[in-house]
Amino acid sequence: MRRKRFAVVALLLGFAAAAETARADDAAWSALRAGGHVALMRHADAPGGVGDPPGFRVDDCATQRNLSAKGRADAKRIGARLKSEGIAVDQILASPWCRCMDTATLLELGPVEAAPTFGNVVVLRDRTEALTAGARAVIGKWTGRGNLLVVTHGANILALTTISPASGEIVVVRSGSAAGIEPVGRLLLD
């Protein structure tokens, strides 16, 4: 009897989690369709753990963790989905790390601008506070009719929102909020 009760509770919790995810997805899509929001995207799949190999250089992709074939395909698919949903992207910023610049470029949503304030806070841990403050300022000043898309690292998004996104996941936040960065919803586009 106890196992049966546990199975029923687990099933109900699963349904509740699925419903919560669907609401977060709906809220994120609605916000992006309305425009004026910021989409924080973690770069697509780049195997090899966290950070970069010793001796990496930001200006040399051969020394960094880079996108896998899956990551490249995922980035193209995510960009196609955003286009098919009619999402207006006015500006694209990316961490200068190759995996972020490549993800942003492969989305094929427009020109990509390197934004050092979205640089990897794991690798630049001695500058985390300054980078995060700079990122908050960029997000807070966004007033475009369309959306600002920022491709960065999971640790950066975590520092900004307390959400730890999966590779390729998008966390949609409100811009211009005096109260700080307010997440609206999340999109994991497989």
Side-chain angles (χ1 to χ4, degrees):
M1 186 62 150
R2 203 176 235 206
R3 279 188 188 188
K4 194 174 196 178
R5 200 174 311 157
F6 178 77
V8 169
V9 168
L11 184 62
L12 291 174
L13 288 174
F15 285 140
E20 182 63 31
T21 299
R23 280 192 297 276
D25 286 358
D26 291 346
W29 283 120
S30 293
L32 291 175
R33 285 187 189 105
H37 287 79
V38 178
L40 300 172
M41 179 180 181
R42 182 179 176 185
H43 60 76
D45 184 61
V50 175
D52 286 284
F56 87 97
R57 291 192 339 259
V58 172
D59 64 344
D60 184 357
C61 294
T63 66
Q64 301 176 32
R65 284 179 40 230
N66 290 293
L67 296 180
S68 64
K70 176 187 181 322
R72 297 179 75 73
D74 287 350
K76 289 178 184 180
R77 191 172 42 255
I78 292 165
R81 175 74 187 277
L82 291 170
K83 282 182 202 170
S84 76
E85 295 286 343
I87 303 305
V89 176
D90 286 355
Q91 185 176 12
I92 304 170
L93 302 177
S95 161
W97 267 250
C98 296
R99 57 189 172 269
C100 294
M101 292 295 292
D102 290 347
T103 297
T105 300
L106 289 166
L107 293 170
E108 296 181 350
L109 296 172
V112 178
E113 180 184 338
T117 198
F118 292 100
N120 192 331
V121 297
V122 170
V123 175
L124 303 172
R125 64 183 141 270
D126 59 323
R127 296 181 45 212
T128 298
E129 196 172 304
L131 292 171
T132 303
R136 280 193 175 101
V138 169
I139 292 165
K141 291 178 186 171
W142 180 252
T143 59
R145 292 184 65 140
N147 299 292
L148 169 64
L149 173 63
V150 176
V151 180
T152 187
H153 308 270
N156 294 59
I157 296 170
L158 177 64
L160 291 164
T161 66
T162 71
I163 295 170
S164 181
S167 294
E169 185 172 1
I170 298 170
V171 177
V172 180
V173 300
R174 294 189 205 295
S175 64
S177 172
I181 295 174
E182 182 186 347
V184 173
R186 300 167 71 166
L187 297 171
L188 186 55
L189 307 174
D190 293 311

